[in-house]
Amino acid sequence: MAADYEKTDIGTIQIAPEVIEVIAGLATIEVGGVAGMSGGLAGGIAELLGRKNLSKGVKVEVGHREAAVDVSIIVEYGNPIPEIASEIQRNVKKSIEMMTGLIVVEVNVHIHDVYFKAGERIEEEDAALRVK
């Protein structure tokens, strides 16, 4: 269901929740240290920085004037999770408010996984082999 966002002299402007999800998804993957979006624990396979489905891992609740957003992400190993999460919150809020005029009342960030680059994973496997 689309949310009534503004009534004008000649009609009503409606923004579908899917539009807000795409804006939030783009704003999330712009943040450094985000490896990808996650569909959640029950959502199956996570998607690393692909642009196939920009709303994957994003859930929104949209009212007449306000929106609440949940994003589920995968972080790159070695990055400070609290800083990444705070930057996501700021970027998502700013992007949605700027593009839609809605007031974002909350942005919740859920970390579902950590992504290891190929070299880091090999080192991890080597460490496991040394300890028997």
Side-chain angles (χ1 to χ4, degrees):
M1 179 178 124
D4 288 343
Y5 137 74
E6 184 177 329
K7 292 186 181 208
T8 67
D9 293 340
I10 58 173
T12 302
I13 298 169
Q14 294 182 319
I15 300 174
E18 293 81 11
V19 172
I20 312 282
E21 289 173 354
V22 169
I23 294 168
L26 276 169
T28 299
I29 64 172
E30 287 175 352
V31 174
V34 174
M37 304 298 290
S38 173
L41 298 176
I45 300 172
E47 199 167 307
L48 296 178
L49 282 186
R51 294 187 178 246
K52 288 181 184 176
N53 185 357
L54 293 171
S55 63
K56 180 180 181 88
V58 180
K59 180 183 169 204
V60 300
E61 292 179 37
V62 184
H64 291 288
R65 292 275 178 202
E66 298 178 337
V69 182
D70 286 85
V71 295
S72 298
I73 66 162
I74 303 159
V75 295
E76 293 175 351
Y77 177 76
N79 287 285
I81 293 173
E83 290 176 24
I84 292 170
S86 293
E87 182 61 26
I88 289 169
Q89 289 174 319
R90 284 189 296 274
N91 206 35
V92 167
K93 180 175 173 58
K94 180 184 84 177
S95 296
I96 292 172
E97 290 181 349
M98 182 186 71
M99 293 183 71
T100 68
L102 291 168
I103 298 166
V104 177
V105 293
E106 63 182 49
V107 178
N108 301 304
V109 181
H110 307 276
I111 316 310
H112 282 264
D113 204 353
V114 176
Y115 174 71
F116 296 90
K117 294 178 183 157
E120 292 166 346
R121 176 131 349 245
I122 291 169
E123 291 172 12
E124 179 185 88
E125 290 170 3
D126 287 345
L129 294 175
R130 289 185 294 185
V131 180
K132 297 189 190 245

